[in-house]
């Protein structure tokens, strides 16, 4: 398989639906809101570029496996790298509306499970090498990120504390309990449905886990899922500014004004305060090791070290 190019000047070549670059589209707009948003996104790109140049000395080429998280919209010239636990269900719904040729009108009418059916959206890994290179070079590329430990706690809560996630309990829960719980009960070993957050942390830091292959996508680092030091993203959206960033992207690609990103209505959402509570029982030693594991995501996306950590 031939490697894929990902040159520095890719973002400057994107032409969008109307044949204009995203920067040109923004300059043509007389809205001050747009120009302030553009400044924010320019800052995020620069931060990303600076951190990449400081920490990644050896450039590697993209492989087809690296492209499995990049969802393609050929109609609007859009590439979206989805990150689980960062509004990816709603973004996949929106991508289904954008690529559906009128089949879907309202993202919220699409059931959540349908948004995750692989055949409903194409990923970049499914294209030929010339098609991949063309899309990497000319499409608008975006990714959404979230405070890394908040995302991690959200993944833990979703996959290990909800009774319906039996597949995760069986596959991961039983293994975590077997390895990281002293004298587990037979029931816990069989069902794996009562994993404690502390045990989940031990599992993440266990060298055996690293040797077994990549992390599950729900707790894999963003830099390992989306390769932001190889693929040069035009827009780095943040969970903390989800609505503004989502609207900005839809405007950039000239999406129909009827396509709206779903407003968040979740009251069970994982917050910073909630995350802090989960870390209360984690010793400073393991807090430090876990932070080091996710450190690149903190640096790349300009998140501060959480104030609740006792690692200074």
């Amino acid at each position: 398989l031939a490697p894929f190019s990902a040159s520095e000047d890719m973002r400057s070549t994107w032409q969008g639906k109307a044949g204009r670059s995203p920067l040109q589209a923004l300059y043509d707009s007389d809205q001050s809101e747009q120009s302030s948003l553009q400044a924010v996104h320019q800052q995020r790109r620069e931060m990303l570029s600076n951190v990449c140049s400081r920490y990644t000395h050896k450039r590697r080429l993209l492989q087809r496996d690296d492209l499995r998280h990049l969802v393609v919209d050929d109609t609007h010239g859009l590439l979206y790298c989805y990150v689980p636990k960062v509004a990816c269900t709603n973004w996949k719904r929106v991508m289904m509306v954008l690529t559906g040729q009128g089949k879907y009108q309202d993202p919220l009418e699409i059931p959540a499970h349908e948004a995750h059916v692989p055949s409903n959206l194409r990923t970049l890994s499914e294209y030929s090498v010339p098609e991949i290179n063309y899309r990497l070079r000319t499409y608008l590329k975006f990714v959404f990120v979230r405070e890394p430990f908040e995302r991690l706690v959200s993944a833990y809560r979703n996959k290990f504390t909800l009774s319906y996630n039996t597949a995760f309990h069986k596959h991961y829960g039983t293994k975590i309990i077997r390895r990281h719980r002293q004298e587990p009960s037979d029931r816990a070993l069989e069902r794996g449905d009562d994993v404690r957050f502390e045990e989940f942390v031990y599992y993440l830091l266990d060298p055996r886990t690293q040797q077994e292959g990549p992390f599950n996508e729900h707790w894999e680092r963003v830099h390992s899922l989306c390769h932001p030091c190889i693929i040069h993203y035009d827009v780095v959206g943040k969970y903390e500014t989800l609505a503004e960033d989502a609207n900005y992207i839809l405007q950039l690609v000239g999406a129909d004004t009827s396509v709206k990103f779903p407003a968040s209505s979740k009251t069970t959402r994982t917050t910073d305060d909630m995350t802090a509570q989960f870390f209360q029982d984690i010793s400073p030693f393991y807090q430090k090791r876990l932070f080091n594991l996710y450190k690149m995501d903190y640096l790349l996306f300009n998140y501060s070290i959480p104030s609740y950590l006792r690692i200074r």
Side-chain angles (χ1 to χ4, degrees):
L1 179 67
F4 312 111
S5 59
S7 62
E8 281 291 342
D9 61 353
M10 265 184 194
R11 61 172 163 257
S12 64
T13 64
W14 180 75
Q15 290 301 301
K17 194 180 178 188
R20 296 178 301 166
S21 72
L23 298 182
Q24 189 61 51
L26 288 173
Y27 286 137
D28 290 349
S29 167
D30 58 1
Q31 296 176 18
S32 60
E33 182 191 347
Q34 282 285 51
S35 57
S36 68
L37 268 173
Q38 166 166 2
V40 166
H41 288 286
Q42 177 69 27
Q43 275 183 328
R44 289 180 190 172
R45 283 198 302 269
E46 286 173 2
M47 166 65 71
L48 197 53
S49 179
N50 291 340
V51 174
C52 285
S53 60
R54 276 179 60 196
Y55 289 92
T56 56
H57 306 298
K58 196 174 169 188
R59 293 277 297 215
R60 74 171 182 82
L61 293 166
L62 287 167
Q63 304 299 319
R64 193 176 289 279
D65 214 37
D66 297 328
L67 309 174
R68 289 181 300 109
H69 272 249
L70 282 157
V71 175
V72 182
D73 171 7
D74 284 322
T75 309
H76 300 88
L78 201 54
L79 290 177
Y80 160 54
C81 189
Y82 70 91
V83 178
K85 307 314 300 173
V86 193
C88 88
T89 302
N90 278 343
W91 261 118
K92 284 182 176 181
R93 285 167 161 153
V94 169
M95 294 294 280
M96 285 173 71
V97 172
L98 293 175
T99 59
Q101 279 88 44
K103 184 180 174 186
Y104 309 99
Q105 306 294 328
D106 178 1
L108 284 178
E109 287 176 0
I110 302 170
H113 66 87
E114 226 181 282
H116 297 292
V117 174
S119 58
N120 283 336
L121 290 165
R122 288 193 77 183
T123 66
L124 196 57
S125 59
E126 298 169 43
Y127 289 75
S128 71
V129 172
E131 288 172 331
I132 288 167
N133 280 323
Y134 172 76
R135 282 158 180 75
L136 280 173
R137 196 168 58 249
T138 60
Y139 282 17
L140 179 80
K141 298 171 288 296
F142 76 98
V143 59
F144 268 76
V145 300
R146 182 178 186 177
E147 202 286 328
F149 281 174
E150 193 179 291
R151 176 176 166 247
L152 186 66
V153 167
S154 177
Y156 164 77
R157 291 179 66 218
N158 182 261
K159 299 305 172 193
F160 294 108
T161 70
L162 300 179
S163 57
Y164 61 78
N165 270 323
T166 50
F168 269 81
H169 302 158
K170 281 281 186 188
H171 186 82
Y172 294 100
T174 53
K175 182 191 291 185
I176 292 170
I177 289 167
R178 188 171 67 250
R179 288 183 180 174
H180 301 290
R181 183 176 299 180
Q182 290 186 331
E183 299 180 14
S185 68
D186 290 341
R187 182 194 177 280
L189 285 170
E190 186 194 340
R191 296 175 65 126
D193 61 356
D194 65 343
V195 171
R196 296 190 280 271
F197 183 67
E198 187 178 28
E199 293 166 339
F200 179 53
V201 169
Y202 295 156
Y203 164 76
L204 295 172
L205 296 171
D206 187 338
R208 289 171 292 184
T209 305
Q210 309 270 353
Q211 289 158 11
E212 286 164 356
F215 280 169
N216 179 277
E217 62 178 15
H218 291 84
W219 48 85
E220 180 60 279
R221 285 68 55 98
V222 177
H223 72 87
S224 297
L225 290 175
C226 294
H227 313 285
C229 292
I230 314 174
I231 297 168
H232 296 278
Y233 289 95
D234 302 287
V235 181
V236 176
K238 292 202 167 186
Y239 193 72
E240 297 77 15
T241 51
L242 178 59
E244 305 97 286
D245 293 347
N247 291 333
Y248 174 78
I249 290 162
L250 293 173
Q251 285 175 14
L252 274 184
V253 295
D256 192 293
T257 51
S258 65
V259 181
K260 303 288 186 200
F261 191 84
S264 179
S265 59
K266 276 199 172 180
T267 51
T268 56
R269 171 171 113 65
T270 302
T271 61
D272 185 63
D273 287 347
M274 197 183 291
T275 305
Q277 288 173 12
F278 276 88
F279 275 86
Q280 272 180 351
D281 297 329
I282 307 298
S283 73
F285 174 77
Y286 284 106
Q287 286 185 7
K288 176 84 171 180
R289 286 185 60 197
L290 194 68
F291 178 78
N292 286 337
L293 191 61
Y294 288 86
K295 187 177 180 179
M296 271 305 284
D297 280 1
Y298 275 97
L299 292 169
L300 287 165
F301 307 117
N302 199 24
Y303 286 106
S304 308
I305 299 175
S307 59
Y308 54 78
L309 291 186
R310 306 184 301 281
I311 63 175
R312 286 165 182 79

